[in-house]
Amino acid sequence: QVTLKESGPALVKPTQTLTLTCTFSGFSLKTSGMSVTWIRQPPGKALEWLARIDWDDDTFYNKSLQTRLSISKDTSKNQVVLTMTNVDPMDTGTYYCSRNMDVWGQGTTVTVSS
Amino acid sequence: ELVLTQSPGTLSLSPGESATLSCRASQNVRSNYLAWYQQKPGQAPRLLIFGASNRATGVPDRFSGSGSGTDFTLTINRLQTEDFAVYYCQQDGISPTFGPGTKVEFK
């Protein structure tokens, strides 16, 4: 059974760096064709694709946010980490990670406020 | 950036009716990398359709996807109460994006 769980701070101050961790089980990011994607959703708004890391270490970023985002993986821990620098209240929302976009975590809520 | 537009914004229907949801892309979607997701309040999105017309595992056959190029459709036949939700299309090309969503609500 594939499961993913997001974790990270619930509250972050503006200008700080946000670090989110996706811990997964039931698959390996060493397996060809596997990828983990981060997606977010501001309260009451639509989904926004953020970044993806593939089994072969290829990384892809939302062009509007790419200067602030970094995605990495630790295959020994079955984790994918997303960092977002210089956060703003507009970054408030629920952050999801997903395996190949077919299995999603429950999401973690982040509020950016001073 | 490839922009997805969904219509209508809200669809008011009764159980048993059919729903037709539209997703239009500002450019051709690469190799039909078009997916549909269902999201209920307080829940993560659920993959329904991938590759424009392929049902994901466990998705009832009352859900069907069609289309190619820039025009795609999600059809839900015989709406069940559990189908009332928000539906998003997503293109998984070079720079993936989601549409703004269509809410299917009780009439």
Side-chain angles (χ1 to χ4, degrees):
Chain A
Q1 182 192 5
V2 173
T3 64
L4 304 97
K5 186 169 185 179
E6 306 86 350
S7 59
L11 180 64
V12 184
K13 289 181 171 23
T15 75
Q16 289 187 334
T17 294
L18 170 65
T19 299
L20 297 171
T21 301
C22 175
T23 303
F24 56 87
S25 64
F27 71 99
S28 171
L29 253 183
K30 297 183 208 176
T31 301
S32 176
M34 290 294 128
S35 68
V36 171
T37 301
W38 282 95
I39 305 101
R40 72 177 178 181
Q41 186 171 37
K45 295 191 176 181
L47 301 164
E48 181 178 29
W49 189 97
L50 296 178
R52 188 182 95 210
I53 188 163
D54 291 349
W55 67 277
D56 58 358
D57 292 328
D58 271 351
T59 56
F60 305 87
Y61 294 97
N62 180 313
K63 288 187 176 175
S64 301
L65 296 167
Q66 63 183 6
T67 59
R68 299 172 52 211
L69 295 175
S70 177
I71 190 170
S72 62
K73 63 182 172 76
D74 185 333
T75 51
S76 66
K77 294 182 179 178
N78 280 352
Q79 289 181 333
V80 170
V81 174
L82 180 75
T83 60
M84 177 182 289
T85 61
N86 192 27
V87 297
D88 176 271
M90 296 279 285
D91 297 313
T92 293
T94 300
Y95 287 73
Y96 298 98
C97 62
S98 171
R99 191 267 329 241
N100 288 16
M101 299 297 284
D102 61 355
V103 182
W104 293 54
Q106 64 191 17
T108 186
T109 300
V110 177
T111 300
V112 180
S113 174
S114 55
Chain B
E1 178 183 276
L2 197 160
V3 177
L4 297 176
T5 303
Q6 291 187 246
S7 61
T10 302
L11 204 45
S12 299
L13 295 167
S14 300
E17 292 189 301
S18 292
T20 301
L21 285 65
S22 172
C23 176
R24 285 195 167 167
S26 59
Q27 308 166 38
N28 276 349
V29 176
R30 188 171 70 104
S31 301
N32 282 345
Y33 280 15
L34 193 287
W36 290 93
Y37 300 85
Q38 175 194 68
Q39 188 178 33
K40 298 179 183 179
Q43 296 185 18
R46 171 197 180 195
L47 177 67
L48 297 176
I49 301 287
F50 64 93
S53 61
N54 303 287
R55 270 188 300 277
T57 303
V59 175
D61 62 6
R62 63 180 182 272
F63 291 90
S64 63
S66 63
S68 64
T70 60
D71 288 319
F72 299 88
T73 300
L74 175 70
T75 301
I76 314 170
N77 290 317
R78 305 177 308 278
L79 274 166
Q80 308 290 305
T81 53
E82 61 266 29
D83 300 336
F84 290 86
V86 178
Y87 293 83
Y88 294 96
C89 59
Q90 183 239 342
Q91 63 84 16
D92 207 24
I94 303 239
S95 187
T97 51
F98 286 90
T102 290
K103 182 178 182 180
V104 177
E105 64 174 21
F106 285 100
K107 188 173 183 179

